């Protein structure tokens, strides 16, 4: 398995534009997490899914952020409209089924720059 | 919710010395404590973890200790090497939902 795959790796966009980040989890993993990493706030959990269902979105900063998981092999995080303070590295991570409290496998991240 | 605090934020040691990073957590129900290493520009990767029924775990040069009563856990790296230079994150989670709360990270610099 190639691991968790995120795209794009880098995204530069203008303020006000819509941004969509994509994640392909490891096959068979049933938990999927979206994290945002900044120097000031570290790794923040934005939202997570279990079996494609959103479980907790309390970390989503504003209504401008939304996430979906239409099937077990794909998730998106959308920011509309984007703002410069959204600039960060966004990580997707997944965990395997059947065992609670186990290793989270991270994707390579998407570095988002909003100018 | 859970609150994980991590210290120090930066740590510089000479090659061969030991490094210790400490974390505290607030939720007494937390029962799983992983440590992740993130090299510059890379993804975080698990290096060691400990569960609440264990007080200490060791894997070669790295070890983690857990004090449930005091609600703190620590990462110990012995005989540090330049390739240990990275940002280290502690985390805590509980229950069946794999929801991890991360510390703010420690940037470790091992000087050759």
């Amino acid at each position: 398995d190639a691991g968790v795959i995120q795209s794009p790796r880098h995204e530069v966009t203008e303020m006000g534009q819509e941004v969509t980040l994509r994640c392909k989890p490891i096959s068979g993993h049933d938990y999927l997490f979206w994290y945002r990493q900044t120097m000031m706030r570290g790794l923040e959990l934005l939202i997570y899914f279990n079996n494609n269902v959103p479980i907790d979105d309390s970390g989503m900063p504003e209504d401008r952020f939304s996430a979906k998981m239409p099937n077990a092999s794909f998730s998106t995080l959308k920011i509309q409209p984007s703002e410069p303070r959204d600039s960060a590295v966004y990580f997707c991570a997944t965990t395997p089924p059947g065992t609670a409290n186990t290793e989270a496998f991270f994707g390579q991240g998407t570095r988002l720059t909003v100018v | 919710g859970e609150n994980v605090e991590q210290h120090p934020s930066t740590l510089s040691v000479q090659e061969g010395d030991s490094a210790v990073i400490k974390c505290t957590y607030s939720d007494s129900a937390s029962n799983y404590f992983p440590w992740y290493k993130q090299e510059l520009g890379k993804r975080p990767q698990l290096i060691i973890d400990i569960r609440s029924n264990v007080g200490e775990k060791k894997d070669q040069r790295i070890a983690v200790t857990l004090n449930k009563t005091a609600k703190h856990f620590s990462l110990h790296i012995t005989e540090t090497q330049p390739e240990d230079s990275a940002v280290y994150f502690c985390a805590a989670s509980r229950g069946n939902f794999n929801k991890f709360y991360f510390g703010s990270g420690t940037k470790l610099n091992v000087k050759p």
Side-chain angles (χ1 to χ4, degrees), chain B residues 37-83:
Chain B
K37 175 183 180 182
Q38 186 179 25
E39 297 177 355
L40 188 63
K42 302 285 183 65
R43 74 187 86 188
Q45 291 189 288
L46 181 74
I47 55 171
I48 195 168
D49 57 14
I50 191 167
R51 299 177 191 277
S52 59
N53 58 345
V54 175
E56 183 174 358
K57 184 177 178 180
K58 190 173 181 179
D59 182 3
Q60 298 182 6
R61 294 188 297 107
I62 59 173
V64 57
T65 59
L66 170 65
N67 184 326
K68 285 180 59 180
T69 303
K71 294 206 281 287
H72 67 71
F73 55 113
S74 301
L75 178 70
H76 304 252
I77 306 174
T78 59
E79 301 171 27
T80 54
Q81 301 167 4
E83 52 265 39

Side-chain angles (χ1 to χ4, degrees), chain A:
Chain A
D1 200 316
V4 178
I5 300 173
Q6 291 185 246
S7 63
R9 291 290 310 278
H10 303 273
E11 176 81 32
V12 180
T13 190
E14 291 186 345
M15 182 174 62
Q17 296 298 306
E18 176 180 297
V19 175
T20 299
L21 311 181
R22 297 173 175 80
C23 176
K24 182 181 185 324
I26 294 172
S27 178
H29 283 199
D30 62 348
Y31 278 93
L32 184 142
F33 305 82
W34 282 100
Y35 286 93
R36 177 172 68 178
Q37 185 176 36
T38 60
M39 288 293 292
M40 292 297 295
R41 301 171 73 94
L43 272 166
E44 300 175 274
L45 177 63
L46 301 178
I47 185 172
Y48 75 100
F49 297 82
N50 178 227
N51 291 321
N52 315 336
V53 176
I55 302 300
D56 186 344
D57 66 354
S58 59
M60 297 286 260
E62 300 172 34
D63 291 345
R64 298 184 296 106
F65 286 71
S66 63
K68 294 182 180 178
M69 192 164 184
N71 56 61
S73 58
F74 185 63
S75 177
T76 59
L77 178 67
K78 185 178 294 186
I79 308 172
Q80 165 64 16
S82 58
E83 296 182 4
R85 59 194 168 117
D86 301 331
S87 298
V89 179
Y90 290 82
F91 285 102
C92 174
T94 68
T95 61
T99 306
N101 293 331
T102 188
E103 178 179 2
F105 293 82
F106 284 79
Q108 292 277 34
T110 295
R111 181 174 294 277
L112 173 65
T113 303
V114 183
V115 298

